[in-house]
mmCIF file of all heavy atoms in Angstrom:
data_model
loop_
_atom_site.group_PDB
_atom_site.id
_atom_site.type_symbol
_atom_site.label_atom_id
_atom_site.label_comp_id
_atom_site.label_asym_id
_atom_site.label_seq_id
_atom_site.Cartn_x
_atom_site.Cartn_y
_atom_site.Cartn_z
ATOM 1 N N GLY A 1 3.483 -1.340 16.953
ATOM 2 C CA GLY A 1 3.326 -0.715 15.634
ATOM 3 C C GLY A 1 2.798 -1.703 14.649
ATOM 4 O O GLY A 1 2.952 -2.963 14.801
ATOM 5 N N TRP A 2 2.167 -1.177 13.666
ATOM 6 C CA TRP A 2 1.827 -1.966 12.417
ATOM 7 C C TRP A 2 2.588 -1.486 11.205
ATOM 8 O O TRP A 2 2.696 -0.245 10.992
ATOM 9 C CB TRP A 2 0.363 -1.808 12.077
ATOM 10 C CG TRP A 2 -0.577 -2.614 13.063
ATOM 11 C CD1 TRP A 2 -1.201 -2.095 14.169
ATOM 12 C CD2 TRP A 2 -0.970 -3.907 12.958
ATOM 13 N NE1 TRP A 2 -1.977 -3.076 14.774
ATOM 14 C CE2 TRP A 2 -1.829 -4.231 13.960
ATOM 15 C CE3 TRP A 2 -0.645 -4.987 12.063
ATOM 16 C CZ2 TRP A 2 -2.387 -5.508 14.228
ATOM 17 C CZ3 TRP A 2 -1.232 -6.195 12.245
ATOM 18 C CH2 TRP A 2 -2.034 -6.491 13.305
ATOM 19 N N PHE A 3 3.170 -2.464 10.473
ATOM 20 C CA PHE A 3 3.780 -2.153 9.194
ATOM 21 C C PHE A 3 3.204 -3.000 8.144
ATOM 22 O O PHE A 3 2.384 -3.873 8.346
ATOM 23 C CB PHE A 3 5.314 -2.501 9.381
ATOM 24 C CG PHE A 3 6.043 -1.596 10.324
ATOM 25 C CD1 PHE A 3 5.993 -1.730 11.719
ATOM 26 C CD2 PHE A 3 6.948 -0.596 9.788
ATOM 27 C CE1 PHE A 3 6.610 -0.905 12.571
ATOM 28 C CE2 PHE A 3 7.582 0.231 10.722
ATOM 29 C CZ PHE A 3 7.438 0.130 12.124
ATOM 30 N N ARG A 4 3.526 -2.571 6.863
ATOM 31 C CA ARG A 4 3.117 -3.387 5.787
ATOM 32 C C ARG A 4 4.141 -3.447 4.661
ATOM 33 O O ARG A 4 4.997 -2.599 4.558
ATOM 34 C CB ARG A 4 1.775 -2.854 5.231
ATOM 35 C CG ARG A 4 1.885 -1.490 4.595
ATOM 36 C CD ARG A 4 0.463 -1.010 4.136
ATOM 37 N NE ARG A 4 0.547 0.324 3.558
ATOM 38 C CZ ARG A 4 -0.584 1.083 3.214
ATOM 39 N NH1 ARG A 4 -1.728 0.655 3.527
ATOM 40 N NH2 ARG A 4 -0.423 2.249 2.647
ATOM 41 N N GLN A 5 4.084 -4.482 3.858
ATOM 42 C CA GLN A 5 4.974 -4.700 2.757
ATOM 43 C C GLN A 5 4.199 -5.223 1.560
ATOM 44 O O GLN A 5 3.652 -6.348 1.611
ATOM 45 C CB GLN A 5 6.133 -5.594 3.164
ATOM 46 C CG GLN A 5 7.226 -5.660 2.100
ATOM 47 C CD GLN A 5 8.469 -6.350 2.603
ATOM 48 O OE1 GLN A 5 8.473 -7.024 3.619
ATOM 49 N NE2 GLN A 5 9.592 -6.084 1.942
ATOM 50 N N ALA A 6 4.197 -4.426 0.560
ATOM 51 C CA ALA A 6 3.522 -4.834 -0.721
ATOM 52 C C ALA A 6 4.651 -5.500 -1.584
ATOM 53 O O ALA A 6 5.847 -5.264 -1.456
ATOM 54 C CB ALA A 6 2.996 -3.620 -1.406
ATOM 55 N N PRO A 7 4.238 -6.298 -2.548
ATOM 56 C CA PRO A 7 5.192 -6.979 -3.510
ATOM 57 C C PRO A 7 6.139 -6.024 -4.133
ATOM 58 O O PRO A 7 5.656 -5.037 -4.666
ATOM 59 C CB PRO A 7 4.287 -7.735 -4.450
ATOM 60 C CG PRO A 7 3.036 -7.950 -3.732
ATOM 61 C CD PRO A 7 2.810 -6.753 -2.826
ATOM 62 N N GLY A 8 7.410 -6.246 -4.037
ATOM 63 C CA GLY A 8 8.387 -5.432 -4.673
ATOM 64 C C GLY A 8 8.627 -4.084 -4.054
ATOM 65 O O GLY A 8 9.401 -3.280 -4.587
ATOM 66 N N LYS A 9 8.109 -3.925 -2.870
ATOM 67 C CA LYS A 9 8.298 -2.684 -2.110
ATOM 68 C C LYS A 9 8.886 -2.873 -0.816
ATOM 69 O O LYS A 9 8.868 -4.027 -0.245
ATOM 70 C CB LYS A 9 6.975 -1.851 -2.004
ATOM 71 C CG LYS A 9 6.384 -1.438 -3.240
ATOM 72 C CD LYS A 9 5.144 -0.529 -3.076
ATOM 73 C CE LYS A 9 4.563 0.021 -4.380
ATOM 74 N NZ LYS A 9 3.386 0.887 -4.095
ATOM 75 N N GLU A 10 9.462 -1.882 -0.184
ATOM 76 C CA GLU A 10 10.050 -2.000 1.168
ATOM 77 C C GLU A 10 8.881 -1.938 2.192
ATOM 78 O O GLU A 10 7.792 -1.452 1.929
ATOM 79 C CB GLU A 10 11.016 -0.823 1.437
ATOM 80 C CG GLU A 10 12.268 -0.880 0.526
ATOM 81 C CD GLU A 10 13.295 0.119 0.958
ATOM 82 O OE1 GLU A 10 12.964 0.991 1.840
ATOM 83 O OE2 GLU A 10 14.383 0.156 0.338
ATOM 84 N N ARG A 11 9.212 -2.500 3.349
ATOM 85 C CA ARG A 11 8.312 -2.504 4.442
ATOM 86 C C ARG A 11 8.149 -1.046 4.890
ATOM 87 O O ARG A 11 9.095 -0.282 5.031
ATOM 88 C CB ARG A 11 8.824 -3.325 5.637
ATOM 89 C CG ARG A 11 7.842 -3.526 6.734
ATOM 90 C CD ARG A 11 8.289 -4.561 7.740
ATOM 91 N NE ARG A 11 8.554 -5.862 7.100
ATOM 92 C CZ ARG A 11 8.824 -6.982 7.808
ATOM 93 N NH1 ARG A 11 8.932 -6.924 9.163
ATOM 94 N NH2 ARG A 11 8.968 -8.095 7.256
ATOM 95 N N GLU A 12 6.858 -0.639 5.195
ATOM 96 C CA GLU A 12 6.652 0.715 5.541
ATOM 97 C C GLU A 12 5.800 0.759 6.793
ATOM 98 O O GLU A 12 4.896 -0.066 7.042
ATOM 99 C CB GLU A 12 5.927 1.501 4.392
ATOM 100 C CG GLU A 12 4.592 1.006 4.018
ATOM 101 C CD GLU A 12 3.872 1.796 2.976
ATOM 102 O OE1 GLU A 12 4.493 2.833 2.559
ATOM 103 O OE2 GLU A 12 2.723 1.478 2.669
ATOM 104 N N PHE A 13 5.989 1.831 7.567
ATOM 105 C CA PHE A 13 5.226 2.111 8.741
ATOM 106 C C PHE A 13 3.785 2.466 8.395
ATOM 107 O O PHE A 13 3.487 3.190 7.434
ATOM 108 C CB PHE A 13 5.840 3.261 9.531
ATOM 109 C CG PHE A 13 5.041 3.753 10.687
ATOM 110 C CD1 PHE A 13 5.011 3.098 11.923
ATOM 111 C CD2 PHE A 13 4.242 4.946 10.564
ATOM 112 C CE1 PHE A 13 4.267 3.589 12.913
ATOM 113 C CE2 PHE A 13 3.544 5.438 11.615
ATOM 114 C CZ PHE A 13 3.527 4.732 12.803
ATOM 115 N N VAL A 14 2.831 1.909 9.202
ATOM 116 C CA VAL A 14 1.459 2.182 8.946
ATOM 117 C C VAL A 14 0.857 2.983 10.126
ATOM 118 O O VAL A 14 0.287 4.072 10.014
ATOM 119 C CB VAL A 14 0.626 0.973 8.728
ATOM 120 C CG1 VAL A 14 -0.917 1.265 8.670
ATOM 121 C CG2 VAL A 14 1.072 0.158 7.540
ATOM 122 N N ALA A 15 1.039 2.442 11.374
ATOM 123 C CA ALA A 15 0.480 3.113 12.571
ATOM 124 C C ALA A 15 1.177 2.564 13.743
ATOM 125 O O ALA A 15 1.772 1.492 13.800
ATOM 126 C CB ALA A 15 -1.044 2.726 12.728
ATOM 127 N N GLY A 16 1.267 3.460 14.753
ATOM 128 C CA GLY A 16 1.961 3.063 16.066
ATOM 129 C C GLY A 16 1.152 3.591 17.248
ATOM 130 O O GLY A 16 0.323 4.554 17.130
ATOM 131 N N ILE A 17 1.370 2.979 18.373
ATOM 132 C CA ILE A 17 0.606 3.296 19.602
ATOM 133 C C ILE A 17 1.565 3.186 20.767
ATOM 134 O O ILE A 17 2.357 2.265 20.849
ATOM 135 C CB ILE A 17 -0.645 2.444 19.680
ATOM 136 C CG1 ILE A 17 -1.510 2.951 20.819
ATOM 137 C CG2 ILE A 17 -0.291 0.950 19.957
ATOM 138 C CD1 ILE A 17 -2.907 2.315 20.796
ATOM 139 N N SER A 18 1.419 4.163 21.736
ATOM 140 C CA SER A 18 2.253 4.109 22.915
ATOM 141 C C SER A 18 1.747 2.965 23.929
ATOM 142 O O SER A 18 0.755 2.394 23.694
ATOM 143 C CB SER A 18 2.251 5.425 23.508
ATOM 144 O OG SER A 18 0.896 5.867 23.956
ATOM 145 N N GLN A 19 2.494 2.833 25.024
ATOM 146 C CA GLN A 19 2.285 1.722 25.918
ATOM 147 C C GLN A 19 0.857 1.734 26.470
ATOM 148 O O GLN A 19 0.223 0.657 26.541
ATOM 149 C CB GLN A 19 3.261 1.742 27.062
ATOM 150 C CG GLN A 19 4.670 1.443 26.604
ATOM 151 C CD GLN A 19 5.585 1.574 27.800
ATOM 152 O OE1 GLN A 19 5.253 1.696 28.923
ATOM 153 N NE2 GLN A 19 6.943 1.579 27.436
ATOM 154 N N THR A 20 0.319 2.821 26.822
ATOM 155 C CA THR A 20 -1.014 2.895 27.399
ATOM 156 C C THR A 20 -2.090 3.284 26.384
ATOM 157 O O THR A 20 -3.259 3.380 26.764
ATOM 158 C CB THR A 20 -1.056 3.952 28.615
ATOM 159 O OG1 THR A 20 -0.704 5.162 28.033
ATOM 160 C CG2 THR A 20 -0.105 3.498 29.673
ATOM 161 N N GLY A 21 -1.676 3.524 25.161
ATOM 162 C CA GLY A 21 -2.625 3.949 24.106
ATOM 163 C C GLY A 21 -2.913 5.367 24.040
ATOM 164 O O GLY A 21 -3.745 5.912 23.286
ATOM 165 N N THR A 22 -2.212 6.208 24.939
ATOM 166 C CA THR A 22 -2.392 7.567 25.002
ATOM 167 C C THR A 22 -2.053 8.245 23.658
ATOM 168 O O THR A 22 -2.734 9.176 23.256
ATOM 169 C CB THR A 22 -1.524 8.180 26.124
ATOM 170 O OG1 THR A 22 -1.877 7.598 27.362
ATOM 171 C CG2 THR A 22 -1.664 9.767 26.205
ATOM 172 N N ASN A 23 -0.975 7.843 23.047
ATOM 173 C CA ASN A 23 -0.500 8.500 21.820
ATOM 174 C C ASN A 23 -0.579 7.465 20.658
ATOM 175 O O ASN A 23 -0.259 6.296 20.832
ATOM 176 C CB ASN A 23 0.900 9.017 21.975
ATOM 177 C CG ASN A 23 0.959 10.150 22.925
ATOM 178 O OD1 ASN A 23 0.111 10.952 23.049
ATOM 179 N ND2 ASN A 23 2.077 10.267 23.648
ATOM 180 N N THR A 24 -0.954 8.051 19.500
ATOM 181 C CA THR A 24 -0.987 7.222 18.313
ATOM 182 C C THR A 24 -0.435 8.068 17.176
ATOM 183 O O THR A 24 -0.359 9.314 17.276
ATOM 184 C CB THR A 24 -2.387 6.806 17.891
ATOM 185 O OG1 THR A 24 -3.230 7.898 17.724
ATOM 186 C CG2 THR A 24 -3.018 5.838 18.944
ATOM 187 N N TYR A 25 0.004 7.364 16.125
ATOM 188 C CA TYR A 25 0.565 8.131 14.993
ATOM 189 C C TYR A 25 0.320 7.220 13.692
ATOM 190 O O TYR A 25 0.427 6.073 13.786
ATOM 191 C CB TYR A 25 2.072 8.422 15.184
ATOM 192 C CG TYR A 25 2.666 9.278 14.149
ATOM 193 C CD1 TYR A 25 2.456 10.681 14.294
ATOM 194 C CD2 TYR A 25 3.441 8.819 13.031
ATOM 195 C CE1 TYR A 25 2.980 11.571 13.360
ATOM 196 C CE2 TYR A 25 3.901 9.695 12.091
ATOM 197 C CZ TYR A 25 3.740 11.030 12.275
ATOM 198 O OH TYR A 25 4.222 11.885 11.345
ATOM 199 N N TYR A 26 0.095 7.956 12.596
ATOM 200 C CA TYR A 26 -0.280 7.232 11.345
ATOM 201 C C TYR A 26 0.541 7.737 10.176
ATOM 202 O O TYR A 26 0.869 8.938 10.104
ATOM 203 C CB TYR A 26 -1.784 7.500 11.055
ATOM 204 C CG TYR A 26 -2.694 6.940 12.150
ATOM 205 C CD1 TYR A 26 -3.101 7.669 13.175
ATOM 206 C CD2 TYR A 26 -3.133 5.572 12.158
ATOM 207 C CE1 TYR A 26 -3.951 7.241 14.177
ATOM 208 C CE2 TYR A 26 -3.980 5.065 13.135
ATOM 209 C CZ TYR A 26 -4.383 5.892 14.146
ATOM 210 O OH TYR A 26 -5.213 5.363 15.114
ATOM 211 N N GLN A 27 0.721 6.872 9.278
ATOM 212 C CA GLN A 27 1.258 7.241 8.006
ATOM 213 C C GLN A 27 0.190 8.135 7.351
ATOM 214 O O GLN A 27 -0.948 7.882 7.478
ATOM 215 C CB GLN A 27 1.519 5.991 7.109
ATOM 216 C CG GLN A 27 2.117 6.262 5.728
ATOM 217 C CD GLN A 27 1.916 5.069 4.865
ATOM 218 O OE1 GLN A 27 1.074 5.243 3.908
ATOM 219 N NE2 GLN A 27 2.644 4.057 4.980
ATOM 220 N N ASN A 28 0.666 9.127 6.503
ATOM 221 C CA ASN A 28 -0.238 10.069 5.927
ATOM 222 C C ASN A 28 -1.392 9.403 5.122
ATOM 223 O O ASN A 28 -2.533 9.738 5.102
ATOM 224 C CB ASN A 28 0.467 11.071 5.103
ATOM 225 C CG ASN A 28 1.209 12.106 5.948
ATOM 226 O OD1 ASN A 28 0.972 12.248 7.086
ATOM 227 N ND2 ASN A 28 2.188 12.751 5.320
ATOM 228 N N SER A 29 -1.004 8.338 4.349
ATOM 229 C CA SER A 29 -1.929 7.778 3.392
ATOM 230 C C SER A 29 -3.086 7.060 4.094
ATOM 231 O O SER A 29 -4.066 6.710 3.470
ATOM 232 C CB SER A 29 -1.217 6.881 2.462
ATOM 233 O OG SER A 29 -0.670 5.719 3.141
ATOM 234 N N VAL A 30 -2.916 6.669 5.361
ATOM 235 C CA VAL A 30 -3.980 5.873 6.061
ATOM 236 C C VAL A 30 -4.610 6.734 7.124
ATOM 237 O O VAL A 30 -5.606 6.340 7.699
ATOM 238 C CB VAL A 30 -3.393 4.613 6.757
ATOM 239 C CG1 VAL A 30 -2.643 3.832 5.674
ATOM 240 C CG2 VAL A 30 -2.565 4.912 7.931
ATOM 241 N N ASN A 31 -4.139 7.940 7.374
ATOM 242 C CA ASN A 31 -4.628 8.880 8.462
ATOM 243 C C ASN A 31 -6.141 9.173 8.076
ATOM 244 O O ASN A 31 -6.461 9.546 6.975
ATOM 245 C CB ASN A 31 -3.903 10.122 8.546
ATOM 246 C CG ASN A 31 -4.078 10.793 9.871
ATOM 247 O OD1 ASN A 31 -4.629 10.270 10.775
ATOM 248 N ND2 ASN A 31 -3.575 12.065 9.970
ATOM 249 N N GLY A 32 -7.009 8.890 9.083
ATOM 250 C CA GLY A 32 -8.395 9.113 8.807
ATOM 251 C C GLY A 32 -9.137 7.862 8.399
ATOM 252 O O GLY A 32 -10.415 7.896 8.419
#
């Protein structure tokens, strides 16, 4: 998974990928 943390904010999920890459999932704000 990829996460990010901006100053003064909590760490948030950005994107994730399964072991073989078959499945991925994105935070709404970065989707697309």
Side-chain angles (χ1 to χ4, degrees):
W2 285 98
F3 290 77
R4 67 186 181 187
Q5 187 167 18
K9 296 188 177 181
E10 293 188 354
R11 188 172 299 187
E12 63 176 2
F13 171 79
V14 175
I17 189 166
S18 59
Q19 291 177 12
T20 59
T22 302
N23 292 328
T24 59
Y25 190 79
Y26 299 90
Q27 183 199 106
N28 286 342
S29 69
V30 308
N31 200 12

